[in-house]
Every structure is written in C-alpha cells, then in structure tokens.
Amino acid sequence: MSAERPAPAAGITGSRALEAEVTRWFAVSARDLPWRRPGATAWEVLVSEFMLQQTPVPRVLPAYRAWLGRWPTARALAAATPGDAVRQWGALGYPRRAIRLHACAVIISARHGGRVPASLEALREMPGVGDYTAAAVTSFAFGQRHAVLDTNVRRVLARLVGGRQFPAGSVSAGERALAESLLPPAAGRRAATWSAALMELGALICTPARPACDRCPVAHRCAWRAAGMPPGPPPRRGAPYQGSDRQCRGSLLAVLRSADGPVAPAALAAAWPDPAQRDRALGALLFDGMAVRRDDGLICLPGDGRPPPPPGGPGRPGA
DNA sequence: TAGCCGTGGAA
DNA sequence: TTTCCAAGGCT
C-alpha cells in the first residue's frame, strides 16, 4: 500500500498524530478568550457557554465582561431577580437563556453550596444545560474527559472522517462513538484541550462555507477533501424572521427591558402594530415566564416590583 | 424529531 | 437587498 487513505470511522489510525497536529495548531492559532484562561472559574465557564449558545464570540465578549463584573459568582446572580438578568442580557438574543442562567444560579446556590457542580448528571439537570453545555463545563472547567459535540466539532468530524460536507440534523450514536474514540487519554487536560482545539478548528478554518483548507493542519487527512469535496445537502433553513411572532416577541421584550418598571399595555401597542399578533406574542411571553401581568394590568419583567430573594434564601420554602 | 426560540454582522 | 449564520436547548 502506498499513500494512506482516510481511516474508517471506528478506530481511526494515527489518533495520536492527529491530536498532535491539531493541538499544535491550536497552541499557535487559538484566540485569546477570557473563559479559556487558566484562572477562569467554573461559573465563568458556565456563563460563557450560555452566552455562546447560538451567539457569535465577538458579540458575547462585552456582554460576558459586563455580566461577570456585576455578578462574579452564582450566589451573586441568585440574589438578583430574573428581570435583572433579562435586562443585563440586553440584546444578546434568546433572552430565555438569561432566565435559565438565573435559575441555574439559584439551584447552584441552594443545592450545591454556591459551586458549579462538576458532574455531567448534576449539570444536565439544570435548565438550559443540554448535552453540549454539560460536556463543555465538565471538560473546560474541571478537566474531565467527555466528548464535546458542538456544531463545529460535528462539522470537522463529518468532513475529516466522514467525508461529508455537513453532519446530519442531530447527533447520532455513531457520531458520539467516533468523538469518544478520538478522545485523548484522561491524563491532565489533554481531552479538554483536544475538544477546544477541534472547536476552534471548526470556527476558524473548517467553516461551513469556504473552508480555509490551505491553512488546515489536517487537510492531508481529510476524507471530504480526498473525495473532492462533494457538496452535501445544505442544513435546513429556519422560518422567515421578518414579521414573525419571534420578531414581535423580541420587540415587546425590548420595551420591557428598557423600562425601569411596569409598562402599560399602550406602550407595548406602540412597539408592534398588529394587535392580534401582539396579543399572541405577549401571551407567549407571559406563558413562558419572560413577563408578568400584575393585578393592575401593567406588564413587567419577572421580579420587578418585588424585593429580590434574600441571599441563600431562594429554593427554601415559605417564611 | 422537526420546529421554535432573538439578534445583528457579514457575504 | 436578501440570505446566511453563530460554542444549543426544549418540546
């Protein structure tokens, strides 16, 4: 046999060399991000992971600094109201993440002594923490050995090993097995570094469109490239946003966010012309706990107009 | 599991 | 101008 061909998915050969090539590239090319610095706390890592869910790094950076400047610990955030969290979240998008992160802070304070739990299972029980975020926190904050399958890692593995341009719609068992088989040994933080490096490779080099193969440290191993980079079916597109209920919700929430206190329905009416859609969106916000209708009919963010829970108190039943 | 949940910058 | 997309999670 002459030139090495791409290895099959299971038991890929040269894993050790692959790790070395990717991590060497990472050591030189990685962005200097605050949540990656050695001193970053688990809380800081958790905050970063929430903010990075479907939100680009450049937009997260200032929000991350401001958030941790205000609430450096889970206990600090737990002492605030959910409405405070939504306001501080600002226009990062997906504001329910702020509600869920606040709920995490309350749980961490009440059930985990104020420390972010270090187990996959305990993390997974918290709102807004799915398979990816739990694996990311245990890996990056605690140095554990878990496969971290985000959209970047999935795309890199789909191309490098699978020979396809894009991964499937959801994580398959085979994909997870592959990612785990490629994980370096448990010694030190090798597995965490490997995962961070794969993510960075996907974010900077192996991008969805126009991948920079000329700068890829493992282009010589890439199954997709070896196959001539055949185009795969494009990922599914979401519903149009302009004029959608989502946009309407966003507009209403922007009004509540910028107001210091409760808002009259008329103020919301000014933010969206269509009454039926407006009422539908407001109903959804109320249903989701993103907004509250007071007895006097005014609308506010959750926790507005009430004293914040005492420190260490939330989660404890009455009086 | 497919559809929904925000936002704004880049192509 | 429109389209695409960015470290997911939930139902």
Side-chain angles (χ1 to χ4, degrees):
Chain A
M1 356 247 163
S2 48
E4 252 185 54
R5 295 170 43 107
I12 184 176
T13 58
S15 297
R16 188 65 195 279
L18 173 64
E19 179 198 358
E21 288 162 2
V22 172
T23 55
R24 195 181 310 129
W25 169 86
F26 182 63
V28 174
S29 310
R31 293 166 291 182
D32 177 25
L33 301 173
W35 47 86
R36 280 194 196 142
R37 290 174 188 160
T41 66
W43 171 247
E44 290 166 351
V45 171
L46 182 65
V47 169
S48 78
E49 293 302 339
F50 264 78
M51 290 187 168
L52 288 163
Q53 289 170 6
Q54 300 289 286
T55 305
V57 166
R59 287 232 317 274
V60 164
L61 278 169
Y64 171 85
R65 296 193 191 97
W67 186 279
L68 288 168
R70 181 172 181 182
W71 298 305
T73 64
R75 282 209 160 107
L77 175 58
T81 68
D84 292 333
V86 170
R87 251 186 217 98
Q88 183 66 44
W89 197 257
L92 257 193
Y94 291 133
R96 58 184 57 199
R97 290 182 292 170
I99 301 281
R100 291 173 181 157
L101 182 54
H102 177 270
C104 283
V106 170
I107 292 171
I108 290 167
S109 299
R111 302 217 287 258
H112 300 289
R115 291 183 300 275
V116 174
S119 81
L120 225 44
E121 296 71 24
L123 283 163
R124 203 57 187 73
E125 285 177 4
M126 300 200 296
V129 179
D131 286 337
Y132 162 75
T133 300
V137 171
T138 52
S139 296
F140 304 146
F142 298 110
Q144 295 173 21
R145 185 177 180 274
H146 299 294
V148 180
L149 277 172
D150 80 319
T151 182
N152 289 307
V153 173
R154 296 189 63 216
R155 186 174 57 254
V156 169
L157 295 183
R159 291 175 178 173
L160 183 67
V161 182
R164 298 183 303 273
Q165 186 180 21
F166 298 118
S170 55
V171 178
S172 68
E175 232 177 322
R176 184 160 292 282
L178 169 65
E180 286 170 356
S181 77
L182 292 177
L183 233 35
R189 296 182 60 91
R190 275 177 62 187
T193 299
W194 162 252
S195 295
L198 270 190
M199 290 172 67
E200 193 76 338
L201 189 63
L204 299 184
I205 303 293
C206 196
T207 51
R210 295 167 164 269
C213 302
D214 55 328
R215 291 187 287 129
C216 178
V218 290
H220 62 287
R221 300 175 178 274
C222 183
W224 182 51
R225 191 170 169 75
M229 302 176 73
R236 288 187 108 67
R237 290 181 43 202
Y241 181 67
Q242 282 298 322
S244 67
D245 283 13
R246 288 174 76 179
Q247 186 186 25
C248 180
R249 288 170 55 117
S251 298
L252 299 185
L253 205 57
V255 172
L256 298 176
R257 210 192 294 135
S258 59
D260 288 331
V263 159
L268 297 180
W272 196 266
D274 181 344
Q277 192 175 25
R278 190 173 64 235
D279 287 347
R280 190 164 65 241
L282 178 57
L285 287 174
L286 295 169
F287 181 82
D288 290 343
M290 306 271 297
V292 175
R293 193 201 304 272
R294 309 196 315 174
D295 292 340
D296 60 8
L298 300 184
I299 312 297
C300 62
L301 293 175
D304 277 10
R306 279 199 322 255
R316 185 191 49 186

